[in-house]
Amino acid sequence: MDSPVKQVEEELTLLMCRAQRVRLHNEGAELRLLERSAYNVLGRVHDEGVVRLSELAATFMLDVSTVSRQVAALQAAGLIRRAPDPSDGRAALLTVTPTGRDVLERTRAQRRQILHDVLAGWPAQDVELFAGLLAKFNADLREHAADTISMLALR
């Protein structure tokens, strides 16, 4: 019989593979595919309102150049706006464009509907337990070094 840790690793690997691409939903426009990491950046900028590139890099425990490439792709797609930081000319402030906000909100609503549909057959207490355990797992991951976390995504 497999150990529970082995099973968790295998299930996480499967989940990450399924979540690699995000389909952005935009009314009246072509469906767009977005890499998971760019979707995360778009969501963080949206949720924060205004954010510096360096803050995003720190949040995701990535190099600024990596996040800069993701932001550039989002900017080229018209989803994020980059403006000079008035308090520091070397830094840029990022905001989500109205199109980016609309696309993100539609995409999140669709993704949440899918989760709702998948979990609809589960007892409410199981869904609550799963949500709580997943939040605890993510919080514990945050406490580990970036190298440890990135090793989970390498497989």
Side-chain angles (χ1 to χ4, degrees), residues 115-129:
L115 289 172
H116 181 271
D117 294 347
V118 168
L119 297 171
W122 290 28
Q125 66 269 23
D126 285 358
V127 176
E128 289 176 24
L129 178 62

Side-chain angles (χ1 to χ4, degrees), residues 11 19 40 45 51 55-56 64 76 82 97 99 115 118 122 124 129 137 139 142 146 148:
E11 294 298 331
N40 289 340
V45 174
V51 67
E55 292 168 350
L56 280 176
V64 172
R82 184 190 308 235
T97 65
T99 299
L115 289 172
V118 168
W122 290 28
L129 178 62
F137 181 77
R142 265 190 301 274
T148 302

Side-chain angles (χ1 to χ4, degrees), residues 26 46 78-81 95-105:
N26 191 11
H46 174 272
L79 304 175
I80 281 186
R81 182 178 304 116
T95 57
V96 173
T97 65
T99 299
R101 183 194 67 242
D102 292 345
V103 168
L104 180 67
E105 287 174 356

Side-chain angles (χ1 to χ4, degrees), residues 83-100:
D85 184 341
S87 66
D88 181 354
R90 299 167 298 163
L93 296 177
L94 306 171
T95 57
V96 173
T97 65
T99 299

Side-chain angles (χ1 to χ4, degrees), residues 48-82:
E48 294 293 324
V50 177
V51 67
R52 281 181 159 192
L53 191 64
S54 59
E55 292 168 350
L56 280 176
T59 297
F60 293 116
M61 294 183 275
L62 294 170
D63 187 76
V64 172
S65 65
T66 301
V67 177
S68 183
R69 285 190 298 276
Q70 294 165 351
V71 166
L74 291 166
Q75 189 176 2
L79 304 175
I80 281 186
R81 182 178 304 116
R82 184 190 308 235

Side-chain angles (χ1 to χ4, degrees), residues 15-16 18-19 22 25 39 106-124 126-128 130-131 134 138:
L15 179 63
M16 285 187 273
R18 289 181 175 153
V22 177
H25 296 276
Y39 175 74
R106 280 188 206 353
T107 301
R108 280 181 168 173
Q110 182 140 26
R111 288 168 61 94
R112 289 174 183 162
Q113 183 61 51
I114 290 166
L115 289 172
H116 181 271
D117 294 347
V118 168
L119 297 171
W122 290 28
D126 285 358
V127 176
E128 289 176 24
F130 180 61
L134 195 54
N138 278 322

